[in-house]
Amino acid sequence: MKKRVEKVVKEKAAGNVEDEFSKIADDYQCSGSLEMDFPELCSLLGMKEIPAVTPRPPASRCQSHCFCHFIGWKVDELMARVLNKTLPALSNLQNLHLWRAGLTGRTLTSLKNTISLCSNLRTVVLEGNPLPEQSYHLLISEDSMLTHVSLRNNRIGEEGARLIGSALATAQAANNNLLSLNLAFNSIGDAGAAHIAQGLRLNRSLLCLSLANNHIGDTGASRLAEVLGPFSLTHDEVVERRRLLLRRDQSVRERTAHLHTTFFKFIFLGLGQSHSFLYIFGAIWDTGQIFHPVSLHQSAELVETVSPLLEPGVQHTGGRVILPGNTALTSLNLAGNMLSEQSLLLFLSSVGAQTEGGGLLRLCLNRNRFPPDCDSFLKIKELMSLRDPLNKTAPAQVDDEQGQAA
């Protein structure tokens, strides 16, 4: 392979060798070994400085999944091409960490496409990579298979938070795979927190969310507290709910009509078959395979896209449609913000109304603008200490983001 490259360089020294280099790189067949493929592809693309790749041994002999850490590497377009070839070839790649990689909107888009080709990649840590385009939401789009994403220290502001909130959920679509999202040490603010809260209204997969150190005050915190308890649907959400109900009812009617037709065809075809037909028909009737209204309704619901707008417990009060709050979220970190006791009262009300069937198990509110001995804070700590199944003896208000800023 190297001899071929040298030959190309000699033959086209006066011309444009870049295209030929690219073709050679595209034809390269990865072996599945990052230590072998990465430097080879970098060389084929004419990169002068090739970062060293140091394999990390598994923590235990039974651990076979792969971690890729790119710390301080500049991921320009050439490097993005190398990653696009090498990472999908790593069949056991599950974790990808990029810290201060100098990403741009274009290289992030390329990275997103690469991630979609990595069949087992579930965790992406993209920190210290501020983007003017604020396009981090591409990593958590509706079709993303990632379950854990960290976007700390990226200077995410209101626009980035708006895009992330829409990626979490809208009335028409939602991310159903993401379990944890770390947005600590950004600049989300009150307006951005409101956008994140909007996404939490109809998202039922996210379990852990960190918004620590984001300049969030009572206005943004109140929007977050609101979605934890019952809330009124907006006009657009009501319209979408009606559309889903009509679609579900239509599905039930179509299936009922189909089974009725099948039923009568079965009878007419069986006429004249005397006792053998009657015996078979009776057996099928007894097992309920011909027609059962409850089964029809359940099967219609199975084919319907799961949506919180159709979840049980919806109430109609004073012309409003009230949806039960988000009880899927189990951990919320708001440490290091600007919350006052006013916010604590709202959280105490919303969390206190959540039943044992779901809801927050951990709410971190350290280092905000209220005295640590205020009554509302103490009540929240007591409530959380009773709920947290992993922390029965230690204080419930542990701040895992403290000291992590860079």
Side-chain angles (χ1 to χ4, degrees):
M1 183 67 73
K2 291 184 178 179
K3 291 181 179 179
R4 184 181 172 189
V5 174
E6 292 172 359
K7 182 180 178 183
V8 170
V9 174
K10 290 178 181 178
E11 289 178 353
K12 299 193 175 185
N16 184 9
V17 191
E18 258 185 55
D19 293 340
E20 194 67 27
F21 278 158
S22 296
K23 186 177 185 305
I24 296 172
D26 290 340
D27 292 341
Y28 179 82
Q29 298 297 317
C30 290
S31 66
S33 169
L34 188 64
E35 304 89 74
M36 180 184 300
D37 296 332
F38 182 80
E40 184 70 17
L41 277 165
C42 288
S43 176
L44 291 176
L45 288 170
M47 295 175 61
K48 296 180 179 179
E49 296 184 6
I50 302 176
V53 175
T54 304
R56 288 187 58 187
S60 63
R61 291 183 179 179
C62 61
Q63 184 179 346
S64 60
H65 55 271
C66 177
F67 295 80
C68 280
H69 291 253
F70 302 100
I71 301 176
W73 291 15
K74 182 173 176 55
V75 180
D76 55 16
E77 293 190 26
L78 274 182
M79 181 63 74
R81 287 188 60 186
V82 173
L83 297 180
N84 184 259
K85 286 281 289 187
T86 55
L87 296 185
L90 303 175
S91 59
N92 59 344
L93 177 64
Q94 295 187 10
N95 298 267
L96 177 62
H97 293 229
L98 290 99
W99 170 252
R100 292 183 177 176
L103 292 175
T104 64
R106 188 165 177 171
T107 51
L108 179 63
T109 300
S110 175
L111 181 65
K112 186 260 184 185
N113 295 332
T114 299
I115 290 172
S116 67
L117 300 174
C118 301
S119 57
N120 291 312
L121 181 60
R122 295 295 178 265
T123 298
V124 169
V125 177
L126 189 69
E127 301 178 345
N129 292 279
L131 296 175
E133 300 88 348
Q134 300 277 292
S135 51
Y136 306 97
H137 66 288
L138 295 176
L139 297 176
I140 57 173
S141 57
E142 184 182 3
D143 60 346
S144 172
M145 297 302 293
L146 297 177
T147 55
H148 305 284
V149 174
S150 180
L151 298 170
R152 297 188 315 156
N153 295 287
N154 287 326
R155 301 178 192 169
I156 298 174
E158 178 184 348
E159 177 61 12
R162 182 187 70 79
L163 295 171
I164 290 173
S166 296
L168 288 176
T170 63
Q172 290 75 32
N175 179 305
N176 293 315
N177 293 310
L178 190 66
L179 301 180
S180 71
L181 177 62
N182 192 339
L183 296 172
F185 296 102
N186 284 292
S187 302
I188 287 175
D190 283 331
H195 290 305
I196 299 297
Q198 183 69 25
L200 292 176
R201 289 168 67 89
L202 300 179
N203 179 285
R204 295 297 182 268
S205 66
L206 192 67
L207 302 179
C208 302
L209 172 64
S210 177
L211 292 169
N213 301 280
N214 264 289
H215 315 292
I216 299 173
D218 289 330
T219 303
S222 65
R223 295 293 300 274
L224 292 166
E226 175 186 306
V227 300
L228 299 177
F231 56 82
S232 301
L233 295 184
T234 64
H235 174 73
D236 290 343
E237 290 167 346
V238 170
V239 170
E240 180 63 14
R241 172 177 158 78
R242 289 174 179 170
R243 187 189 73 82
L244 291 174
L245 287 172
L246 287 173
R247 181 180 171 184
R248 186 179 68 182
D249 292 344
Q250 181 181 2
S251 178
V252 172
R253 288 194 298 270
E254 288 175 353
R255 286 172 174 268
T256 303
H258 173 72
L259 287 179
H260 277 160
T261 302
T262 304
F263 169 67
F264 286 113
K265 282 183 179 179
F266 186 66
I267 291 179
F268 290 133
L269 290 174
L271 290 177
Q273 300 299 319
S274 68
H275 296 291
S276 60
F277 163 74
L278 293 177
Y279 176 79
I280 296 173
F281 170 75
I284 296 177
W285 178 273
D286 288 340
T287 60
Q289 295 181 28
I290 290 184
F291 175 72
H292 196 291
V294 176
S295 299
L296 284 173
H297 185 71
Q298 290 174 344
S299 61
E301 287 187 333
L302 287 176
V303 298
E304 183 61 64
T305 302
V306 177
S307 171
L309 293 172
L310 296 179
E311 66 186 11
V314 174
Q315 298 180 354
H316 299 265
T317 305
R320 298 180 302 161
V321 181
I322 310 296
L323 194 71
N326 184 329
T327 57
L329 192 68
T330 61
S331 176
L332 177 61
N333 191 339
L334 287 168
N337 284 291
M338 300 181 292
L339 281 61
S340 72
E341 194 168 358
Q342 175 185 344
S343 300
L344 300 187
L345 292 172
L346 295 173
F347 277 110
L348 186 60
S349 175
S350 294
V351 176
Q354 292 181 333
T355 64
E356 294 182 359
L360 283 183
L361 302 177
R362 181 174 179 272
L363 175 60
C364 186
L365 298 168
N366 294 333
R367 298 181 291 108
N368 276 280
R369 294 184 175 177
F370 52 80
D373 59 347
C374 71
D375 186 57
S376 300
F377 183 55
L378 295 176
K379 287 182 179 178
I380 290 176
K381 287 181 64 176
E382 181 182 3
L383 181 60
M384 291 296 101
S385 65
L386 294 174
R387 291 188 178 188
D388 191 346
L390 301 177
N391 194 13
K392 292 299 184 183
T393 57
Q397 292 288 314
V398 178
D399 178 10
D400 59 2
E401 300 295 347
Q402 191 168 7
Q404 295 294 321

